[in-house]
């Protein structure tokens, strides 16, 4: 089934990287179900992209993001699926709390992965963000 929203939708993600490891969640629902990805989600009306990233990380992982800056911008266009998401991804340097899965119906994990030992199944925004982290 093709779903057309008629316009791009906006999301925001977090590349949480500590000591050479990135924190990922495995998606249980479309799009890209079964793939590991960055925490994040849609931006609400009148919410800044950074505020959305901080809120989504708190909702999904129960942690509070500290220092962060813009890492990259993702255009996720799926013509066959009828979706187009635009999403800034923020590089998160630190956080408070212990990451845990607060949305088990949506995700598996979280799990830390070494940047040189990532799972094969990664979401599109995660691949783009990791390339940006490597300066590729």
């Amino acid at each position: 089934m093709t779903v057309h929203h008629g316009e791009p939708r906006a999301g925001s993600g977090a590349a949480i990287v500590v000591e050479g490891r990135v924190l990922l969640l495995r998606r249980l629902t479309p799009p890209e179900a079964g793939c590991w990805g960055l925490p994040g989600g849609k931006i609400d009306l009148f919410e800044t992209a950074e505020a959305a990233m901080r809120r989504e990380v708190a909702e999904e992982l129960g942690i509070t993001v500290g220092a962060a800056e813009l890492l990259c911008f993702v255009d996720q266009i799926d013509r066959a699926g009828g979706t187009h998401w635009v999403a800034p991804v923020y590089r998160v340097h630190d956080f408070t709390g212990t990451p845990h899965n607060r949305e088990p119906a949506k995700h598996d994990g979280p799990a830390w992965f070494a940047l040189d030992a990532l799972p094969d199944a990664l979401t599109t925004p995660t691949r783009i963000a990791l390339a940006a982290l490597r300066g590729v």
Side-chain angles (χ1 to χ4, degrees):
M1 178 174 88
T2 301
V3 178
H4 292 283
H5 293 290
E7 60 189 31
R9 300 184 72 196
S12 188
I16 303 171
V17 182
V18 177
E19 297 175 359
R21 297 182 311 149
V22 62
L23 187 63
L24 301 177
L25 292 162
R26 192 168 67 90
R27 297 186 57 87
L28 298 178
T29 59
E32 300 185 286
C35 293
W36 289 90
L38 303 172
K42 73 177 187 66
I43 300 170
D44 291 335
L45 187 63
F46 307 123
E47 183 178 42
T48 67
E50 184 174 341
M53 176 273 295
R54 291 174 180 275
R55 175 184 52 75
E56 286 284 348
V57 168
E59 288 175 2
E60 292 178 353
L61 297 170
I63 59 176
T64 302
V65 168
E69 79 268 345
L70 185 63
L71 172 64
C72 65
F73 184 86
V74 175
D75 262 306
Q76 186 171 5
I77 299 172
D78 178 358
R79 290 181 187 277
T83 61
H84 179 181
W85 283 88
V86 293
V89 176
Y90 291 85
R91 165 74 162 86
V92 174
H93 296 279
D94 56 67
F95 58 86
T96 55
T98 301
H100 60 282
N101 188 349
R102 296 187 61 200
E103 297 180 329
K106 292 183 181 180
H107 308 108
D108 278 343
W112 290 97
F113 293 94
L115 292 173
D116 60 357
L118 294 163
D120 289 333
L122 294 172
T123 65
T124 300
T126 303
R127 290 183 191 284
I128 294 168
L130 290 168
L133 273 173
R134 294 185 188 107
V136 176

